[in-house]
Amino acid sequence: MKKFILHNPTILHFGQGVIEDLAKSASKYGQKAIIIYGQGSVKKHGYLDAVINELSKAGISHVEYSGIKSNPVIDDVYKAVEVCKKENIDFIIALGGGSVIDSSKITSLAYASDIDPKDMVLYKAEPTKKVPLLAILTLAATGTEMNPFAVIQLNDKKKKLGFYSPLAYPDESFLDPTLTLTVPADYTAYGIVDLIAHAFEAYFAAGDDNSLNDKFVAAVVREAMEYGPLLVDDLNNLRLREKIMWAATNALNGLLFYGRETDGDWGVHNFAHNISLVFDTPHGATLSIIYPAWMKHFKHRLKYRLELLGYLLFNESLSADQTIEKIEAFFSSLGAPVRMKDIGITSQGDKELLLDQLKYDSPQGFNIEMNNEDYEQILDLAWG
Ligand code: NZQ
Ligand code: ZN
């Protein structure tokens, strides 16, 4: 195993009703908060009122910044930083899914460090400080609630970027599965795909001498495969929401990644971000298309790892092809797309547009490198 340091500073409050811990926690961080949220779901479903109610119990005043879009853009971060400055806030409450929490992470660092957000995510300016960030998660998928990553789009640079800073961990995260009961079937499925894809990114890291982590990967994916389909058919089932929420957090809080030769692979994520950038496709829907295509394309190189994965996930001896087939069939059974046509993208023009973007961005895995020919052949498989 590669040597590693394990340090995850996020305090996690997990379970039904944990929102009631908010007043006590928030009062540690100051007297004035900004609540950052998305395009209205938290208002519609009463989560915003519940948060405001908690803050008022602690005598904490607040301002709001709303409108963060799914596949978030840096422009909103600039606007949120302006509100932070004008209102002189003490801390940030991110209320939403990955898009809101990621935008809030970048806001927290850029505001506190007084640096340009774009320079920061392009690693031209290093953050030195943060304002405290409390994350209240409403969608189980990304793991951002307990990790130091943020993903953001820079449309003028034609980039959807993953950013890392050791300061970007939320200080405290509140994971109440009742807040996820209102997530519709499509985003529920995309969340399940996303968490499985994170486990795969860990699994396809360089080196294969990490048997315990491989078993962690299998445990997380098997959990999602067992309970995910039940949840998609029974969206109001709190017990199932809870299981998927916990699986999603563990898929990308470091547990599956420690000690591997590279920090995962991430080639599929980096490839798939370009689909979101060009077509504004939900993140999980890009992964259910590209993961099987990437596995098929690299199946000779990944033969041993795919066979082992088949055994770990399905408890039987499977070839690489059979393993891929079962994974693709699973994504399909959730109602997630597995070909570009499933998201309404069929034309040759769109394919060329995407290929041009891939050649421009040149997405890579830490383990499996890709070139223009690989992009083209993976796209052929995704077009089906
Ligand atoms: O905007 P609102 O109205 O809130 O609606 C959202 C949005 O339309 C809705 N939603 C969220 N919670 C809901 C709900 N609707 C009903 N009830 C609820 N409780 O769901 C839609 C999707 O929200 P979004 O936050 O975009 O989804 P997700 O959590 O999947 O986040 C996706 C973003 O995270 C990035 C992705 O690339 C994408 O930009 N990722 C972040 C990672 C990280 N920071 O570690 C890792 C991931 O691999 C991923 O790249
Ligand atoms: Zn992801």
Side-chain angles (χ1 to χ4, degrees):
M1 271 192 271
K2 197 175 160 195
K3 65 179 179 180
F4 62 93
I5 296 170
L6 194 162
H7 175 71
N8 190 318
T10 301
I11 297 170
L12 201 79
H13 303 248
F14 190 95
Q16 199 178 343
V18 291
I19 194 84
E20 287 156 24
D21 300 352
L22 182 64
K24 195 168 165 213
S25 288
S27 49
K28 289 190 267 181
Y29 300 107
Q31 282 307 304
K32 188 168 186 182
I34 181 171
I35 306 175
I36 298 181
Y37 58 95
Q39 303 213 319
S41 69
V42 300
K43 238 181 175 161
K44 182 172 160 201
H45 300 300
Y47 309 144
L48 180 63
D49 283 346
V51 167
I52 293 172
N53 185 37
E54 280 303 309
L55 293 182
S56 67
K57 283 186 202 164
I60 293 168
S61 65
H62 81 278
V63 292
E64 293 173 22
Y65 183 82
S66 64
I68 303 293
K69 69 176 284 297
S70 191
N71 294 325
V73 290
I74 196 91
D75 312 62
D76 274 309
V77 172
Y78 280 95
K79 291 179 196 160
V81 168
E82 276 315 303
V83 179
C84 294
K85 282 184 184 161
K86 182 165 162 264
E87 299 288 343
N88 201 17
I89 59 98
D90 298 321
F91 65 101
I92 298 177
I93 296 179
L95 175 61
S99 297
V100 167
I101 297 174
D102 286 1
S103 302
S104 302
K105 287 178 173 181
I106 301 169
T107 302
S108 155
L109 270 54
Y111 164 56
S113 309
D114 198 17
I115 52 176
D116 183 84
K118 207 179 279 184
D119 287 347
M120 187 181 84
V121 298
L122 290 168
Y123 299 108
K124 290 181 187 163
E126 199 183 335
T128 50
K129 284 189 247 166
K130 67 186 293 190
V131 287
L133 172 64
L134 306 190
I136 301 167
L137 185 67
T138 64
L139 197 165
T142 62
T144 188
E145 64 273 12
M146 202 179 176
N147 76 37
F149 310 117
V151 181
I152 197 89
Q153 266 181 219
L154 272 52
N155 289 348
D156 59 339
K157 295 211 174 293
K158 297 205 290 176
K159 292 270 179 192
K160 182 169 180 177
L161 289 177
F163 167 74
Y164 157 82
S165 163
L167 297 175
Y169 286 96
D171 292 83
E172 302 197 25
S173 285
F174 298 79
L175 276 59
D176 182 340
T178 55
L179 270 57
T180 67
L181 287 171
T182 50
V183 178
D186 53 359
Y187 274 101
T188 301
Y190 303 153
I192 295 163
V193 171
D194 193 22
L195 85 87
I196 290 174
H198 297 155
F200 288 167
E201 297 292 12
Y203 183 80
F204 290 111
D208 57 7
D209 183 26
N210 213 320
S211 46
L212 179 59
N213 289 45
D214 285 353
K215 289 178 186 113
F216 286 155
V217 165
V220 167
V221 178
R222 288 180 72 133
E223 184 81 354
M225 286 185 160
E226 184 171 350
Y227 298 109
L230 300 177
L231 175 57
V232 171
D233 284 343
D234 187 9
L235 296 171
N236 281 320
N237 189 318
L238 188 58
R239 183 178 150 265
L240 297 173
R241 289 285 185 190
E242 188 171 63
K243 285 180 183 296
I244 294 300
M245 196 171 210
W246 186 223
T249 300
N250 281 292
L252 195 47
N253 65 359
L255 178 72
L256 314 184
F257 289 80
Y258 298 116
R260 295 191 185 271
E261 291 299 318
T262 57
D263 287 332
D265 182 67
W266 296 105
V268 172
H269 265 73
N270 292 334
F271 188 115
H273 285 333
N274 286 284
I275 303 179
S276 291
L277 187 91
V278 174
F279 302 112
D280 206 17
T281 311
H283 176 60
T286 64
L287 298 169
S288 53
I289 298 170
I290 298 304
Y291 236 117
W294 177 89
M295 287 172 171
K296 285 175 201 167
H297 180 63
F298 288 114
K299 69 181 177 187
H300 298 297
R301 192 155 160 195
L302 298 171
K303 183 173 180 292
Y304 164 72
R305 292 295 281 165
L306 281 166
E307 286 170 0
L308 178 64
L309 186 64
Y311 178 74
L312 290 170
L313 296 186
F314 304 107
N315 237 358
E316 51 181 322
S317 263
L318 296 172
S319 66
D321 282 324
Q322 287 169 320
T323 302
I324 300 166
E325 209 174 290
K326 276 184 174 276
I327 289 166
E328 183 172 291
F330 174 76
F331 289 159
S332 228
S333 76
L334 293 175
V338 292
R339 294 288 183 279
M340 293 299 284
K341 66 174 181 314
D342 302 338
I343 53 170
I345 295 166
T346 52
S347 78
Q348 193 57 29
D350 281 341
K351 195 173 177 184
E352 277 159 23
L353 193 67
L354 187 51
L355 188 57
D356 284 348
Q357 169 62 28
L358 286 160
K359 288 178 181 169
Y360 163 77
D361 184 49
S362 191
Q364 294 302 330
F366 290 128
N367 180 25
I368 308 284
E369 284 181 15
M370 294 181 279
N371 59 32
N372 289 350
E373 245 170 66
D374 296 318
Y375 304 144
E376 201 164 345
Q377 287 168 19
I378 292 170
L379 278 193
D380 282 346
L381 289 161
W383 245 259

